[in-house]
Structure formats: structure tokens, C-alpha cells
Amino acid sequence: MKVVMAITGLIMVGFLLMHMYGNLKVFLGADAFNHYAHWLKGDILYPLVPSGWFIWIFRLVMLASIVAHIWSAAVLTGRAHAARSTKYVTTKRLSQTYAARTMRWGGVILLVGLIFHLLQFTTQTVQTGFTAGAEPYEMTVGAFGNWWLVLLYAVWVGIVCSHVRHGVWSALTTLGANTSPAARSFLNGLAWVIAVVLFVGFMIMPLAVLFGWVN
Ligand code: HEM
């Protein structure tokens, strides 16, 4: 179960890094950003797979990863609770980090944020500063002109990055990389670098829109 969590988690971190990098295309202008967004849903990997197939393969892999990740988290949580019939006498936290302590509830909030994100930008059901049918550039710039949305995203992306910080460390430990004190510091550093790069990389675009550097 831990290995399933580790592998599906790392697949999703890979997606996040690519998504963050892709979002930065907004700085190249409307044409570049829209072209990139349409390419993702059209000719990516063509002619290896027919045009338009990649996005659905990607969505299937994502959905399978999310379901397997949550399912193993739920089973492991159930087992952990079943293993103790009484509560711990002391509630004092010893060495757990904040990110480690908030993995379960943080994961739930992350998922709620993701559902909002998809309703907003993928299905355009929740329209914040744009109208249905807006092109990706127009939609993104319209949305992040709202300071409250930028704030909401900062909190959500912060929760995602905290989850990733502990998750990367935990996944690599599960997969056997935590073999010495030096390896331990390396994994810790790597997890921090990935989390910080993701936070800065994701937030730079909404902030640039809010402050009018991208319009
Ligand atoms: C500031 C941060 C973010 C911005 C500005 C952003 C922006 C976008 C945009 C514009 C789309 C729609 C692309 C299109 O349909 O043309 C999208 C889709 C998506 N985003 Fe984000 N995103 C952010 C963070 C995240 C995070 C943290 C996650 C995951 C935890 C995420 C997961 C997704 C997924 C799964 C899709 C759907 C891809 C599909 O159509 O299947 N995004 N995002």
C-alpha cells in the first residue's frame, strides 16, 4: 500500500512540475499560451497516437493515480487506527513536522481545491472573470485579475506544496532511498526544493496578472 502511494504520488508530482512549467508560457503572450493549450488537447504525441487521444490517456492515468492514492491512504489510515484500541496518553508532538501532521486533512482540502480548479478552468462551470468559451489566455488573465482568487490559489497551492514536501520525502523513503544520514539530508533537501519551485513557479503567473505585468 505504501508503495502504491509512493508511485502514484510521484506520478502526480511529475504532472505538477510539467503543469507549472507549461503555465509559464503565459509570459510568451496570448498566441503562444493558447497554441500550447490547444496542442495539449490536440496534436501532442501525434502521429504516435491519433490527434486528441493524449489528453484522454493523460486523464485516465491521473484518475487512476488519484483513486489508487486515496484508496491506499484510506486503507492505511484504517489499519493505523485499528492497531490501537486506546488513544496515546500523551498528546505532545515529538519529531513530526507540520507537513507530516497535516497529510490526511491536507490531502482532503487539496482534493476539494482540485475539484474547484477543474470546475473553473477545465469545464468553465464556475466563471470568475471570464465567460464560457473563453480562450485559455483570456480565461486565465480574466480570472487572476481578482485578488481574492489569487489569495485562494496561494492558500491552495501552499497546501499542495506542503503535501508534496512531506510526500516526496516519504515516497523516496518508502522506495528505499533513505539509506544513510547523508541520503536523509539529500532527500529532505530535494523535497524542499521541489516544493519551493512548485510554489514559486505556480504563483508567479497569478501574481503577474494581478499586478498587471501580464494582461
Ligand atoms: C496557480 C496555479 C495554477 C494555475 C494558474 C493553473 C491553471 C490551469 C489552467 C488554465 C488549466 C486549463 C487548461 C485548459 O483546459 O486549457 C488547468 C487545468 C488543470 N490543472 Fe491547473 N493550474 C494551477 C495549479 C494546479 C494544481 C496545483 C493542480 C493539482 C493539484 C492542477 C491540476 C490541474 C488539472 C488536473 C487540470 C486539468 C487538465 C485536463 O484538462 O485534463 N493545477 N490548470
Side-chain angles (χ1 to χ4, degrees):
M1 287 282 163
K2 290 281 284 178
V3 171
V4 170
M5 286 209 79
I7 292 173
T8 51
L10 291 177
I11 290 174
M12 291 188 280
V13 170
F15 158 71
L16 282 177
L17 286 166
M18 285 191 295
H19 186 20
M20 179 217 78
Y21 172 72
N23 283 358
L24 297 176
K25 288 237 180 292
V26 90
F27 292 104
L28 300 180
D31 286 348
F33 190 67
N34 289 338
H35 176 261
Y36 167 71
H38 292 309
W39 172 75
L40 283 177
K41 290 187 180 160
D43 281 348
I44 181 167
L45 287 194
Y46 176 83
L48 200 61
V49 295
S51 181
W53 274 38
F54 170 81
I55 187 77
W56 288 104
I57 297 171
F58 156 79
R59 284 173 178 164
L60 270 176
V61 172
M62 275 293 128
L63 193 66
S65 299
I66 293 174
V67 169
H69 198 78
I70 295 175
W71 173 67
S72 25
V75 173
L76 287 167
T77 303
R79 280 189 198 163
H81 286 162
R84 281 195 71 87
S85 52
T86 53
K87 282 192 170 243
Y88 283 105
V89 176
T90 171
T91 52
K92 197 172 146 199
R93 313 272 185 201
L94 292 174
S95 61
Q96 257 192 335
T97 61
Y98 180 78
R101 264 186 279 137
T102 50
M103 287 308 271
R104 287 174 189 160
W105 280 109
V108 174
I109 300 171
L110 192 164
L111 185 65
V112 172
L114 179 61
I115 293 169
F116 174 79
H117 183 58
L118 296 181
L119 285 175
Q120 191 190 16
F121 286 153
T122 299
T123 63
Q124 297 188 332
T125 316
V126 180
Q127 292 149 14
T128 47
F130 58 88
T131 46
E135 284 287 295
Y137 185 88
E138 190 191 342
M139 172 177 80
T140 315
V141 170
F144 292 118
N146 298 305
W147 66 266
W148 58 267
L149 193 73
V150 177
L151 189 65
L152 205 67
Y153 265 76
V155 173
W156 177 55
V157 173
I159 292 169
V160 171
C161 293
S162 163
H163 200 83
V164 164
R165 212 285 297 150
H166 182 72
V168 166
W169 148 263
S170 190
L172 295 175
T173 298
T174 295
L175 297 177
N178 191 355
T179 49
S180 65
R184 191 181 171 85
S185 332
F186 175 75
L187 295 187
N188 203 21
L190 182 69
W192 267 105
V193 168
I194 293 177
V196 170
V197 165
L198 280 177
F199 186 79
V200 174
F202 267 128
M203 286 315 298
I204 211 161
M205 177 251 247
L207 286 170
V209 172
L210 185 66
F211 291 119
W213 302 322
V214 170
N215 52 44

